[in-house]
Amino acid sequence: MNSRQLAQVGLGLIGVWALLIALQGFMTLAVVAGASLGPMLLSIAVPVALLLALSYVLVFHNGQLVAAIAPDVRATSEHATPDLPRILVVLLGVLLLVQAIPGAISGLLAVLAAGEFPTMPSRAGPVRFFISSGLQLAIALFLIMRPERLLDFVRRPASREIP
């Protein structure tokens, strides 16, 4: 299995995982819709729709994404896997990105919808969730755009401790 095939399988698995999370979100969507909480319905429906779209792209169009992740010709030969660590770091970034985007959107919409409920004590919970999702989004983008930086950090020589 070469690097591109591994990346395609990884992206496909992440897409299936996103589909399963979106299906789980449908249950939450049904509960909120049954309780007729209009503003909160949007904060759940948009991330579920986004997860469905992401899962479709990752499962059915992963070839184009792999071409962006591993554009070099070396990875197309059968036993050449010099980019394996890079591919794995980028796949980790994609997994974090798929988790972070719906969470950030849901957190933002929950913060905006929090003013609609007079019984909600504060916006601290949704704001914390939005900030943590934003941080996860930043880490995911870093891993996707600069996987070499993490690999250089991991491969650095061990520093000697001073006794």
Side-chain angles (χ1 to χ4, degrees):
M1 177 174 272
N2 62 33
S3 296
R4 287 190 181 195
Q5 292 169 336
L6 177 67
Q8 281 184 306
V9 168
L11 288 174
L13 288 174
I14 292 170
V16 170
W17 174 85
L19 178 65
L20 292 174
I21 296 299
L23 292 176
Q24 182 183 7
F26 276 123
M27 294 186 309
T28 307
L29 190 63
V31 169
V32 171
S36 67
L37 301 173
M40 288 304 288
L41 185 64
L42 187 63
S43 72
I44 296 170
V46 171
V48 167
L50 184 63
L51 273 173
L52 285 174
L54 285 172
S55 69
Y56 174 78
V57 169
L58 289 172
V59 171
F60 296 111
H61 298 289
N62 55 18
Q64 291 89 355
L65 294 173
V66 169
I69 292 172
D72 58 343
V73 180
R74 295 179 303 161
T76 58
S77 68
E78 188 58 39
H79 294 290
T81 56
D83 290 338
L84 181 63
R86 181 179 174 277
I87 296 291
L88 293 176
V89 169
V90 171
L91 286 175
L92 175 64
V94 169
L95 177 65
L96 290 175
L97 185 72
V98 168
Q99 288 178 346
I101 289 175
I105 291 173
S106 177
L108 178 65
L109 293 174
V111 167
L112 297 176
E116 301 289 326
F117 300 104
T119 59
M120 188 170 223
S122 72
R123 293 184 180 190
V127 169
R128 264 190 308 240
F129 182 71
F130 175 70
I131 291 172
S132 67
S133 295
L135 183 62
Q136 185 178 357
L137 184 66
I139 292 170
L141 290 175
F142 176 78
L143 290 176
I144 292 170
M145 298 170 117
R146 304 276 187 199
E148 294 83 15
R149 294 251 178 130
L150 178 67
L151 292 172
D152 291 344
F153 178 74
V154 171
R155 292 176 181 156
R156 75 186 188 289
S159 61
R160 299 181 71 170
E161 293 185 28
I162 299 173

